[in-house]
Amino acid sequence: MHILSSTTEMQRIALEYKRSGKRVGVVPTMGFLHDGHASLIRTAREECDVVITTIFVNPLQFAPTEDLSRYPRDLERDTALASEAGADVLFTPKAEEMYTPDFALNISIGGVTAPFEGEFRPTHFDGVATVVAKLFLLTQPDVAFFGQKDYQQCMVVQKLVRDLAFPLELRICPTMREKDGLAMSSRNVYLSPEDRINALVLHKALQEAKTLIERGERERSSIESLMKSILTSIPHLRIDYAAAADATTLAQPDTFATTQAIVLLLAVRLGSTRLIDNVVVVEFEV
Ligand code: PAF
């Protein structure tokens, strides 16, 4: 595996791949890789001639109060995992090179960025859209792989690709979970042993709400109340949101149509750890 941090070198190599007709896949990450990332890299390996994994803890997507400085990092372990999963290139740009002092771009996408994460992390998706656009231009992918775990992020990237006509396909891959159902996340490392157990309540709330919908419930308030009542069984858990929304627009009607695809979205805080998870309910027994 080729490891490089220079942005100009990355783009030069990427354009060479393109000229030689290679199908390039990119897996953008912030590092501290886990099996969820490995599965994205493996999928990219199956579909592409060249697989580029990027590791960049993007300062633009963290608010000053958030965990940028303590975000977990382990480049040695990441290198081994990326290589084992099948990456050909590991691109680890430096913040100073990604964002030179005169860097002035901010990509702000309306609509899908507004609710949920947008409400609690108002500048987050501008940072994501800006860095993802730059990573796409540096790595020139034919296919870009993202995990469904960050559902709203996937919608934002989809909008970015469409609105700026990036010539690439987006692959949204299923959320990888631990055996007990906890969605894999680099931030799980922050959880105390007690909160690691408490964190299972997210999966439970999503599964029970999914079952409720599959049994015919379409009232948004009933679906959200069920999730909230399950989450609040953990006394010190704080809910940012526990919401049901249209899976393609994130609209929140009072009553969902019978065949409407619904996404259930959660964001909670356990101690100093913020966790998100989601599930899409697409099959209805009606
Ligand atoms: O999902 C992430 O790890 C990040 O938000 C991403 C897409 C790599 C952009 O920094």
Side-chain angles (χ1 to χ4, degrees):
M1 187 175 66
H2 188 37
I3 304 173
L4 72 162
S5 66
S6 156
T7 51
T8 41
E9 182 66 357
M10 178 68 257
Q11 198 174 49
R12 191 188 62 74
I13 293 174
L15 288 168
E16 253 172 42
Y17 289 138
K18 194 154 226 142
R19 274 191 288 271
S20 60
K22 298 245 191 297
R23 185 171 167 81
V24 175
V26 70
V27 181
T29 82
M30 296 208 300
F32 211 68
L33 304 180
H34 49 67
D35 270 359
H37 297 114
S39 120
L40 294 176
I41 299 170
R42 280 195 295 269
T43 308
R45 176 75 285 152
E46 280 164 21
E47 293 189 21
C48 301
D49 301 315
V50 177
V51 178
I52 303 171
T53 301
T54 72
I55 294 183
F56 180 58
V57 184
N58 171 34
L60 286 190
Q61 69 189 74
F62 290 79
T65 50
E66 294 180 345
D67 57 346
L68 173 63
S69 59
R70 73 167 186 139
Y71 195 84
R73 293 160 167 90
D74 189 341
L75 190 56
E76 207 175 308
R77 204 172 124 267
D78 287 351
T79 305
L81 188 145
S83 161
E84 210 166 290
D88 300 295
V89 177
L90 187 63
F91 175 48
T92 61
K94 302 264 177 299
E96 309 80 74
E97 224 190 309
M98 287 292 277
Y99 304 129
T100 49
D102 59 342
F103 187 88
L105 182 71
N106 182 56
I107 300 183
S108 190
I109 297 175
V112 291
T113 57
F116 312 126
E117 288 302 285
E119 201 178 310
F120 289 88
R121 307 181 71 190
T123 57
H124 173 67
F125 286 130
D126 285 12
V128 170
T130 305
V131 80
V132 169
K134 183 148 186 173
L135 289 170
F136 284 167
L137 290 167
L138 293 173
T139 60
Q140 302 283 316
D142 296 288
V143 198
F145 297 81
F146 290 83
Q148 192 200 306
K149 154 89 181 356
D150 297 293
Y151 190 86
Q152 199 176 358
Q153 170 171 281
C154 291
M155 295 187 76
V156 170
V157 175
Q158 191 175 59
K159 199 79 185 74
L160 175 77
V161 167
R162 286 186 188 157
D163 287 2
L164 285 178
F166 275 105
L168 59 86
E169 287 168 42
L170 263 193
R171 275 278 191 294
I172 310 300
C173 303
T175 303
M176 296 300 284
R177 296 182 181 280
E178 304 290 351
K179 282 198 182 71
D180 58 12
L182 180 69
M184 289 185 185
S185 163
S186 305
R187 288 188 168 98
N188 289 349
V189 72
Y190 298 149
L191 292 167
S192 67
E194 188 198 345
D195 281 338
R196 170 65 184 78
I197 295 168
N198 289 334
L200 295 178
V201 76
L202 279 86
H203 187 52
K204 182 172 154 64
L206 291 173
Q207 287 311 308
E208 295 202 12
K210 180 170 184 274
T211 304
L212 185 70
I213 296 167
E214 285 167 349
R215 289 196 180 133
E217 184 59 74
R218 292 293 177 276
E219 289 304 311
R220 182 164 61 84
S221 60
S222 308
I223 301 164
E224 293 180 351
S225 296
L226 175 67
M227 293 196 288
K228 284 176 188 159
S229 71
I230 294 169
L231 293 171
T232 48
S233 67
I234 304 299
H236 63 283
L237 178 148
R238 282 192 296 139
I239 301 175
D240 277 358
Y241 55 82
D246 180 288
T248 48
T249 62
L250 297 187
Q252 293 179 278
D254 290 341
T255 310
F256 291 99
T258 316
T259 54
Q260 196 166 3
I262 300 170
V263 61
L264 303 173
L265 296 154
L266 301 182
V268 308
R269 293 168 199 264
L270 275 169
S272 60
T273 311
R274 187 169 185 276
L275 298 175
I276 60 171
D277 199 355
N278 69 81
V279 71
V280 181
V281 187
V282 282
E283 282 168 6
F284 301 95
E285 290 175 27
V286 287

